[in-house]
């Protein structure tokens, strides 16, 4: 039996590596696949001030990647340096590195690409009589060539000299898909630049210079364009702007999420978590929202040099960034009080809307408190009860509507609105202080002009279907409302508002534990507890360090006093460590409030009067996030008159 050959494992002396091998090692980090080449070259084109960029691919980018721009170009005497390792015009000092304002800056992309592919650069500056061309590496000499202002970089036969690397590539269509995704990401960030993408001689995409609204609609589709909300907020040195998709337009995959920091597409857990937290009580199940958001900030406040592909970043103050993004997205979502297929109607006038944030009292267990205190049902028993019902009743002089032979309702809107006017009602009885604290229905008048101007977006109730749905008519057609889901959202928002107003400006109410809960903790958890004591106390937690491996929970927020203290503490420590703050407290509180709202909301198979149904519609119009219940299900659906006409073949 032959002895194994150990010569390959014999000690070798330390020696400098050849330049070619160094470049190929660097290429392993930078040139992962063809899409990485596309990304680096597009970033260089944008940094050069290009306003027109053409991307031509062959065989998914493996055979050829050719990118042409109309930027400033490269002076011919500097072209060899462009292909040299660690040579760049974008940084020259540590100060420049800490304040990077360009997309590319590492100075190794072209050298790495040239080490694993055949690269030709043709470039012309504004003051040059003609273009110049260089091929191969930095050792080559530029030669005169023809070409317009700008630069063309032609990359052929990727990994031709490293066949082992080529074996790891996927199919042509897969590699093309990755390249196309990179182009889409960069095109979304720069709507002021036109992009053209060609694959195997066929033009696949072309986007002219436009605004972000149009560019995002072109790339994410009409579905996103019809169901999105604008975001534009500035907080100190941070500005967040762009568009977020409505919860009703969520997707089963997270492929419609684009976040940019200073124009650079990033995948950052702080940003992703902030957006997810803002959507957490309006999304159903495992759905994902779509969004195109840009965060502009001082480059000194973010480190983009933490990953070779520069797709990951590190913020100097992650907590401030998280809070800025979370609150901006949450406020945008809160403005969706009554929407249909993504179109946000005008908000209700203050005089005609119910109080959107009434004080909540624990004894509120029915929908009756949303109505006038002297209301009594006129045609069906109310399952909710109404205050003052035994001492006063509404006038019954109103004549129910009758249907005409043409199928219309022979009842004017003015008379219809008389049902909701309290002018002819007897004076309500005196109410005690607890009654005054409850929300009351506002009297309002329905007019033909109001209906035509969509003053009330959800229209006016016509009937109730199977004790579950409210049928209403608005200017667009028919509105179907899930009364339980709608009432649940209303109560949920009232509970949250009451809780927030109760603790506003005050320290979180805490519940000291009679016997502290001790548990084993690793070094990271102990370090987090020591470092973030002030943050933990602000959240209502007293977590003490007993030993290098033991933590003790001495107090928790009152609202979560029945939760498992150890699990809660671990979750809070994890969030504080990762995001600089904790969403666990709010999420747990919202779970409890959601349960209260669900059990308190009006149940199915309950008969409502027209006034009760209309009071619910008015409250929906003035309630934040009224499009979904707190489980993320829709609360109402618009059926336009055109859709009804199609059902009955009218006009055909």
């Amino acid at each position: 039996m032959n002895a194994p050959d150990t010569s390959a494992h014999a000690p070798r002396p330390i020696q400098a590596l050849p330049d070619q091998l160094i470049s190929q090692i660097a290429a392993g980090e930078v040139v992962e696949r063809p899409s990485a080449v596309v990304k680096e070259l597009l970033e260089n084109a944008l940094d050069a001030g290009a306003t027109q960029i053409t991307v031509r691919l062959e065989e998914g980018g493996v055979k050829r990647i050719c990118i042409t721009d109309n930027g400033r170009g490269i002076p011919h005497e500097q072209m060899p340096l462009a292909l040299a390792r660690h040579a760049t015009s974008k940084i020259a000092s540590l100060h420049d590195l800490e304040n990077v304002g360009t997309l590319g800056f590492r100075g190794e992309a072209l050298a790495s690409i040239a080490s694993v592919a055949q690269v030709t650069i043709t470039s012309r500056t504004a003051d040059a009589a003609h273009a110049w061309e260089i091929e191969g590496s930095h050792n080559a000499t530029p030669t005169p060539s023809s070409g317009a202002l700008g630069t063309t970089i032609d990359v052929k036969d990727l990994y031709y000299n490293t066949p082992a690397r080529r074996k790891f590539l996927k199919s042509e269509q897969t590699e093309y898909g990755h390249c196309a995704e990179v182009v889409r990401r960069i095109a979304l960030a720069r709507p002021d630049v036109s992009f053209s993408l060609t694959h195997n001689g066929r033009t696949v995409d072309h986007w002219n210079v436009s605004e972000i609204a149009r560019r995002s609609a072109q790339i994410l589709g009409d579905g996103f364009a019809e169901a999105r909300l604008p975001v534009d907020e500035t907080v100190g040195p941070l500005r967040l702007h762009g568009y977020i998709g409505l919860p009703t337009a969520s997707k089963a995959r997270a492929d419609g999420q684009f976040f940019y920091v200073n124009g650079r597409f990033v995948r950052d857990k702080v940003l992703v978590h902030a957006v997810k937290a803002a959507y957490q009580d309006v999304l159903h199940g495992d759905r994902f929202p779509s969004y195109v958001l840009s965060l502009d900030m001082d480059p000194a406040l973010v480190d983009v040099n933490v990953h070779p592909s520069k797709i990951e970043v590190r913020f100097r103050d992650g907590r401030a960034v998280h809070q800025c993004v979370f609150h901006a997205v949450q406020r945008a979502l809160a403005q969706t009080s009554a929407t249909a297929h993504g179109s946000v109607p005008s908000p209700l006038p203050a005089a005609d809307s119910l109080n959107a944030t009434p004080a909540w009292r624990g004894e509120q267990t029915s929908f009756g408190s949303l109505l006038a205190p002297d209301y009594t049902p006129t045609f069906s028993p109310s399952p909710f009860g109404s205050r003052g019902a035994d001492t006063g009743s509404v006038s019954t002089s109103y004549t129910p509507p009758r249907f005409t032979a043409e199928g219309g309702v022979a009842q004017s809107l003015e008379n219809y609105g008389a049902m909701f006017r309290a002018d002819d009602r007897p004076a309500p009885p005196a109410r005690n202080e607890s009654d005054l604290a409850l929300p009351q229905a506002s009297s309002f008048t329905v007019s033909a002009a109001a209906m035509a101007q969509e003053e009330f977006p959800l229209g006016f109730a016509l009937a109730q279907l199977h004790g579950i749905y409210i049928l209403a008519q608005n200017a667009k057609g028919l509105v179907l409302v899930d009364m339980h889901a709608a009432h649940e959202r209303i109560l949920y928002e009232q509970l949250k508002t009451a809780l927030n107003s109760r603790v506003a400006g005050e320290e979180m109410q805490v519940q000291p534990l009679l016997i502290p809960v001790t548990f084993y903790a690793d070094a990271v958890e102990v370090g987090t507890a020591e470092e973030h004591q002030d943050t933990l106390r602000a959240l209502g937690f007293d977590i003490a360090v007993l030993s290098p491996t033991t933590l003790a929970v001495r107090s928790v927020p009152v609202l979560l006093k029945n939760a498992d203290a150890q699990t809660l503490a671990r979750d809070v420590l994890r969030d504080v460590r990762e995001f600089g703050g904790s969403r666990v407290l709010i999420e747990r509180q919202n779970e409890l409030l959601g349960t209260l709202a669900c059990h308190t909301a009006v149940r199915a198979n309950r008969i409502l009067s027209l006034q009760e149904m209309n009071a619910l519609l008015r409250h929906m119009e003035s309630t934040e996030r009224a499009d979904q219940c707190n489980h993320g299900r829709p609360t109402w659906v618009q059926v336009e008159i055109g859709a009804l006409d199609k059902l009955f073949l009218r006009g055909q």
Side-chain angles (χ1 to χ4, degrees), residues 354-570:
L354 295 175
N355 181 10
T357 55
W360 173 74
R361 299 185 62 85
E363 66 267 20
Q364 179 177 342
T365 58
S366 74
F367 189 68
S369 59
L370 294 178
L371 307 174
D374 55 340
Y375 171 73
T376 299
T378 57
F379 68 90
S380 63
S382 171
F384 310 104
S386 53
R387 299 182 181 275
D390 55 341
T391 58
S393 60
V394 299
S395 171
T396 58
S397 60
Y398 169 74
T399 302
R402 56 187 175 82
F403 291 89
T404 65
E406 291 77 15
V409 180
Q411 178 67 46
S412 68
L413 285 172
E414 287 77 6
N415 288 338
Y416 182 76
M419 291 190 295
F420 315 114
R421 290 197 292 267
D423 300 340
D424 56 346
R425 297 182 185 179
R431 300 193 295 270
N432 57 38
E433 185 177 350
S434 63
D435 288 328
L436 294 175
L438 293 170
Q440 308 298 335
S442 303
S443 60
F444 56 92
T445 303
V446 182
S447 65
M451 178 72 82
Q453 297 173 3
E454 300 186 50
E455 188 175 356
F456 300 97
L458 293 182
F460 302 95
L462 300 174
Q464 191 177 11
L465 181 65
H466 288 295
I468 300 176
Y469 302 104
I470 294 173
L471 308 184
Q473 173 183 311
N474 65 0
K476 296 181 180 179
L478 179 67
V479 174
L480 302 175
V481 178
D482 183 330
M483 65 183 192
H484 172 75
H487 192 207
E488 185 177 359
R489 169 57 73 178
I490 291 170
L491 294 179
Y492 180 56
E493 292 298 328
Q494 290 176 359
L495 291 170
K496 287 200 300 182
T497 299
L499 178 63
N500 292 338
S501 62
R502 183 184 302 173
V503 302
E506 305 173 7
E507 291 187 359
M508 182 67 64
Q509 296 182 353
V510 301
Q511 173 66 55
L513 301 181
L514 184 61
I515 302 176
V517 176
T518 61
F519 61 94
Y520 171 81
D522 58 30
V524 175
E525 291 174 326
V526 172
T528 302
E530 289 179 336
E531 184 180 351
H532 298 279
Q533 279 293 319
D534 293 341
T535 300
L536 292 171
R537 289 195 184 96
L539 296 171
F541 291 89
D542 183 0
I543 303 177
V545 179
L546 300 185
S547 76
T549 59
T550 307
L551 293 177
V553 184
R554 295 175 175 172
S555 65
V556 297
V558 169
L559 195 61
L560 303 178
K561 61 183 179 180
N562 295 323
D564 181 81
Q566 177 179 336
T567 302
L568 191 60
R570 288 187 184 277

Side-chain angles (χ1 to χ4, degrees), residues 191 203 209 219 248 330 499 503 511 557 564 584 611 637 647:
T203 300
V209 174
I219 294 179
T248 50
Q330 189 183 54
L499 178 63
V503 302
Q511 173 66 55
D564 181 81
V584 169
Q611 186 181 16
V637 174
L647 288 176

Side-chain angles (χ1 to χ4, degrees), residues 177-194:
H178 287 290
C179 293
E181 180 65 17
V182 166
V183 177
R184 292 174 67 221
R185 290 174 186 169
I186 294 179
L188 266 175
R190 294 296 302 271
D192 59 323
V193 178
S194 69

Side-chain angles (χ1 to χ4, degrees), residues 552-617:
V553 184
R554 295 175 175 172
S555 65
V556 297
V558 169
L559 195 61
L560 303 178
K561 61 183 179 180
N562 295 323
D564 181 81
Q566 177 179 336
T567 302
L568 191 60
R570 288 187 184 277
D571 290 344
V572 169
L573 289 173
R574 184 190 65 248
D575 274 8
V576 168
R577 181 175 67 251
E578 294 183 358
F579 311 113
S582 179
R583 300 299 308 162
V584 169
L585 175 62
I586 294 178
E587 289 170 1
R588 295 289 180 87
Q589 287 178 344
N590 287 349
E591 284 181 14
L592 296 177
L593 298 183
T595 300
L596 287 174
C598 186
H599 289 293
T600 306
V602 56
R603 292 309 206 187
N605 300 319
R606 297 298 182 92
I607 305 302
L608 302 184
S609 69
L610 282 176
Q611 186 181 16
E612 287 176 311
M613 288 187 268
N614 279 285
L616 177 60
L617 297 179

Side-chain angles (χ1 to χ4, degrees), residues 80-135:
L81 276 175
L83 290 169
R85 291 187 299 110
H86 306 308
T88 180
S89 62
K90 301 170 186 178
I91 59 173
S93 65
L94 180 60
H95 178 270
D96 293 339
L97 185 60
E98 293 176 345
N99 295 270
V100 172
T102 55
L103 297 176
F105 59 88
R106 299 173 70 92
E108 61 187 48
L110 286 177
S112 298
I113 296 169
S115 69
V116 294
Q118 298 175 355
V119 176
T120 301
I121 301 178
T122 304
S123 187
R124 179 181 177 182
T125 58
D127 57 352
H130 54 79
W132 292 81
E133 180 180 296
I134 187 171
E135 183 176 353

